[in-house]
């Protein structure tokens, strides 16, 4: 696996530090919202998008001190060896959202914002369930026009427009266990 790596873009220490910072920012904003409406105790509903966000959300949620629930949502857009979006669609059998999100402060979490199709579909799916508030958070945002024009509240890192793996992100479902965010050698992706 190591021999397939071209270069490390973001190492594990930088990820850990930035996830901590981002969690503090999110916690502060949620606390301010709860203060503004004293009737609402501070509570958040996390909606991670499977599969790629699992490592990010596991780290982020442990830095968020408030009461929370978590409901997974599965969206697929890069099947198999794809490195470009094939169009995002909700995987119904794997998505476990309540019918209504009324009264809930929702934080949607994904690993990467690339074409923006996944985030747009997820956002619309959640809005249709009427949450009290909806915030969106991604670990990575690619510096490409589609991504930069997709609304998102929290971004841990802006990265160059290159295919990346590690820390939950895959190529053909491999490499998710790499602790750093890396690029792969061209011959691995084009084989
Ligand atoms: O902005 P976009 O172009 O829509 O790309 C972003 C999405 O693509 C990947 O999901 P993928 O379909 O590969 O599913 P996975 O998370 O199960 O690997 C990634 O995890 C994001 O959810
Ligand atoms: O660069 C990427 N890597 C892995 N999965 C992805 N899904 C969208 N973009 C990417």
């Amino acid at each position: 696996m190591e021999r397939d790596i071209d270069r490390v873009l973001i190492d594990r220490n930088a990820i850990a530090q930035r996830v901590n910072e981002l969690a503090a920012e999110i916690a502060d904003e949620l606390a301010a919202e709860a203060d503004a409406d004293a009737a609402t105790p501070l509570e958040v509903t996390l909606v991670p998008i499977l599969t790629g966000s699992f490592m990010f959300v596991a780290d982020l949620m442990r830095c968020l001190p408030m009461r929370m629930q978590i409901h997974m949502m599965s969206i697929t857009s890069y099947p198999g060896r794809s490195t470009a979006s094939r169009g995002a669609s909700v995987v119904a059998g794997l998505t476990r959202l309540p019918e209504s999100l009324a009264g809930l402060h929702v934080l949607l979490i994904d690993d990467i914002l690339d074409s923006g199709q996944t985030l747009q579909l997820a956002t619309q799916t959640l809005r249709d369930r009427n949450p009290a508030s909806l915030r969106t958070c991604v670990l990575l945002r690619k510096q490409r026009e589609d991504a930069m024009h997709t609304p998102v509240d929290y971004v841990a890192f802006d990265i160059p427009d290159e295919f990346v793996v590690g820390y939950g992100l895959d190529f053909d479902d491999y490499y998710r266990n790499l602790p750093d965010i890396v690029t792969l050698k061209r011959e691995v992706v084009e084989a």
Side-chain angles (χ1 to χ4, degrees), residues 51-56 111 165-170 175-178:
T51 305
S53 69
F54 74 93
M55 209 174 284
F56 176 39
D111 52 349
V165 297
Y167 195 67
L169 290 108
D170 76 303
Y175 307 105
R176 294 193 198 270
N177 55 323
L178 288 172

Side-chain angles (χ1 to χ4, degrees), residues 28-102:
D28 281 354
E29 289 196 18
L30 285 166
E33 187 157 335
D35 285 349
D37 176 6
T40 320
L42 182 52
E43 178 167 332
V44 64
T45 300
L46 303 188
V47 179
I49 309 221
L50 294 173
T51 305
S53 69
F54 74 93
M55 209 174 284
F56 176 39
V57 79
D59 286 343
L60 187 74
M61 71 189 293
R62 281 178 288 176
C63 301
L64 290 172
M66 74 286 288
R67 199 172 143 80
M68 66 172 61
Q69 288 193 333
I70 184 163
H71 298 294
M72 303 289 182
M73 188 172 176
S74 181
I75 295 184
T76 182
S77 51
Y78 291 72
R81 298 173 61 83
S82 315
T83 56
S85 175
R86 303 285 171 94
S89 56
V90 175
V91 185
L94 295 177
T95 293
R96 299 167 61 86
L97 291 176
E99 283 297 309
S100 167
L101 295 168

